Amino acid sequence: MASLSTSAQCSTSDSACRNSPRQMKQVRPKLPLLKILQAAGAQGDIFTVTEVMHYLGQYITMKQLYDPREQHMVYCGGDLLGELLGCQSFSVKDPSPLYAMLRKNLVALTTATAGD
């Protein structure tokens, strides 16, 4: 399956996705998204955006929601992920529905790093 890359996943205007040298952004998923992450093996309820993307990829792979011939296509209709996204499918080449869902379902937390 095509992986959900974290390098271009969030624009700089997405507060849950920005990092600064002195702060590490962590997020708390709302319950429906947290259930998806936990189904993929996540533990706890606070994550980095990179971790959220990792577990979403694991979930998609585990549930085999991707098209085996066109692995960039994710078919999530009839799944909790599709309910959260509000769509039947999306392409990881244009993940805007995924990012819109993350903006609605992640609460940004700021954790100061050591040395402050």
Side-chain angles (χ1 to χ4, degrees):
M1 177 190 139
S3 68
L4 300 172
S5 94
T6 55
S7 60
Q9 71 192 24
C10 299
S11 71
T12 55
S13 64
D14 295 341
S15 63
C17 300
R18 276 185 297 211
N19 288 336
S20 71
R22 311 259 322 146
Q23 295 179 340
M24 180 176 173
K25 293 286 184 177
Q26 292 187 315
V27 293
R28 176 175 281 132
K30 293 181 181 176
L31 190 56
L33 178 56
L34 182 60
K35 287 181 180 182
I36 288 173
L37 301 178
Q38 289 173 337
Q43 296 180 345
D45 64 350
I46 297 175
F47 307 94
T48 64
V49 173
T50 301
E51 291 170 326
V52 169
M53 294 303 289
H54 167 76
Y55 287 115
L56 281 172
Q58 292 292 106
Y59 180 84
I60 290 166
T61 301
M62 177 186 76
K63 300 277 288 221
Q64 297 184 335
L65 299 177
Y66 60 93
D67 185 322
R69 288 171 296 209
E70 295 182 86
Q71 293 185 356
H72 66 95
M73 290 301 302
V74 176
Y75 295 98
C76 49
D79 189 86
L80 180 57
L81 181 59
E83 291 178 32
L84 277 177
L85 290 169
C87 65
Q88 299 291 308
S89 65
F90 70 96
S91 169
V92 296
K93 293 180 180 180
D94 178 21
S96 55
L98 182 66
Y99 301 141
M101 179 275 291
L102 291 176
R103 280 190 291 275
K104 294 177 189 171
N105 288 281
L106 293 177
V107 178
L109 307 172
T110 302
T111 305
T113 58
D116 278 354

